[in-house]
Amino acid sequence: MTQQHSAQVSRIKQWSPIWVVPIAAVLIGIWMLYNHYQQQGALLTLLTADAGGIIAGKTQIKSRSVDVGQVVSVELSDDLKQVIIKARMKPNITPLLNTGSQFWVVKPQVGRGGITGLNTLLSGVYIELQPGDAEKQQLEYPLLDAPPIAPADAPGIRVLLSTADSGGLVVGDPVLYRGYEVGTVEQSEFDLTLRRTQYQLYIRAPFDVLVSENVRFWLSSGFSVDLSAEGLQVDVGSATTLLSGGVSFDLMQGWPAGEAVKNGAEFQLFPNKQSIQEGLYSEFVEYLLFFEESVRGLKAGAPVEYRGVRVGTVTSVPFFFSIDKPFEVSLQQGIPVLIRIEAGRLYENLSLAQLRQELEKAAHLGMYAALKTGNLLTGALYIDLDINQDAAPDVEQQAMQAQQLALSQSAGYPMLPTARSGLSNIEQKVLMALDKINNLPVEQLLVQSEQTMQSTEVLLQNASKMVTQLDALVSSPQVQQLPAQLQQSLQDLQQMLAGLSPGSVAYDRLNGNLQTLDQVLRELQPVLHTLNQQSNALVFEADIPKDPEPKRAKQ
């Protein structure tokens, strides 16, 4: 019988060389993935409202004309309100991506500095990176449409201006110091809560040391002309402000510089340099005036002077804010005008209580207000204060002032009496004289003069007849027989009457004077007729009546 044997199986304990190939392939793949990830750099997110000209896989991101990344995708956000741009940056660019970095689109533009971005006409738009100097890393940024005025880390200072007028400045306008450009307007924003416009200004170094706590900023319009009661003022700026405007700053004359300000300091923006000086007088006492004459030419801002020295400003012309029935008040009491006497214009360290005491003393001494012409070319008026201790108001004026005082007290303001100006007084006196002349009985005088002339002619005729009769009487034989003395007396009487007869010198002179008087009275009659129609015709030229037109015949 044969014996059967079973085979024994043993495991091979050595690796086969064939496994080296797949393992090496896996390791090479892992290394290639790691190297690819390291070569890609950070994935950047840019947010914008419009992605015009930006193409995925083509638009480059540059910094100082060097490619630092590329746009990989351009998509709309989930809410469809903005565009999300994904960009892959190079590995060595990651330190430049911090909270101070800025991105904007470079494209052809025409601005104040000329034409920029012409190289993008052929290559297409690209995104410019301006790195910041912050330490915190950031991978999401807003994409700006225009380049920033100055880098965030640029040496200098940034200040904020606030104004109620939003029509003065735009981004890019220059900032001037005594006509020299030292900075630029960076931002413009309207605050809905405060209803004011805020501007951010960048002032580059080393001019940032000029900005101290006492400097004032104002709009530079380039060329301005001011015709007021104080005369003609012409302000011509630099060539830059003539074309585009700008904002200027400086210390007011006699002011100390004060301490330096920090970044982000806030200032008020004044409309012009003159308004800065006006804004210094914040302490004042208001008075209400009533003018019976015309206030044409008197405007808010006009000066209030005391014997040539400015002591205040006109606030409102006319002032009807707290007065009922303004038209009725203007007819009865006069046009109300509100003025303010400013303490800072008199002398330093004058409190409002002291100012009120001084004004009460002046009003008790007879201080009054009058309108004066400040500029003959424009007709601008100003208010002049003076003290008149001699002339006391009459009963009618006292009654008028009492009514005006009661009205001003009801409005909540003290009152100063007013008087007519010099020109207005002259005009009033001329009108009164013309009214008296107009009230003369000229027609009755002319009738009486004609009757007098007729009576004179009858008298002369009778005298001529008497002379003839006396001549006949003297020549008669009876008279010749009279004594020589009586005859001589008759001859003297005859000679005297002969001097009054027609043809004599006295007769001719008397007749000529009467004719001249008649001619003067007749020539005066049209003048008086004109004055009767227009009482101020001697001062102002009377209207020329139209030529009479013949009436058309009835058809």
Side-chain angles (χ1 to χ4, degrees), residues 322-374:
S322 301
I323 299 177
D324 297 332
K325 300 180 180 180
F327 185 72
E328 181 178 347
V329 169
S330 301
L331 290 177
Q332 297 179 359
Q333 277 79 30
I335 305 296
V337 176
L338 185 66
I339 67 170
R340 62 187 186 188
I341 308 300
E342 296 155 341
R345 295 187 183 274
L346 298 179
Y347 45 86
E348 296 181 358
N349 302 324
L350 179 65
S351 63
L352 287 181
Q354 293 174 341
L355 177 60
R356 290 191 179 95
Q357 292 178 0
E358 296 290 338
L359 293 175
E360 289 177 359
K361 292 179 181 178
H364 182 71
L365 293 175
M367 186 172 68
Y368 66 93
L371 293 176
K372 296 292 183 67
T373 302

Side-chain angles (χ1 to χ4, degrees), residues 14-25:
Q14 296 180 351
W15 289 94
S16 175
I18 196 65
W19 290 103
V20 175
V21 176
I23 293 174

Side-chain angles (χ1 to χ4, degrees), residues 5 104 239 267 269 278 285 309 311 483 503:
H5 297 277
W104 68 90
F267 293 89
L269 178 62
E278 299 295 334
V285 176
V309 178
V311 295

Side-chain angles (χ1 to χ4, degrees), residues 90-98 101 131-137:
K90 292 184 177 181
N92 57 344
I93 304 301
T94 303
L96 302 180
L97 303 178
N98 51 64
S101 301
D133 58 352
E135 297 181 357
K136 185 178 180 180
Q137 188 179 13

Side-chain angles (χ1 to χ4, degrees), residues 53 81 92 127 151 157 170 212 220 294 374 387 416 451 456 519:
K81 293 183 178 180
N92 57 344
I127 299 175
I157 190 174
V170 296
S212 60
S220 298
S294 174
I387 296 178
L416 281 180
Q451 294 177 354
T456 305
Q519 182 179 359

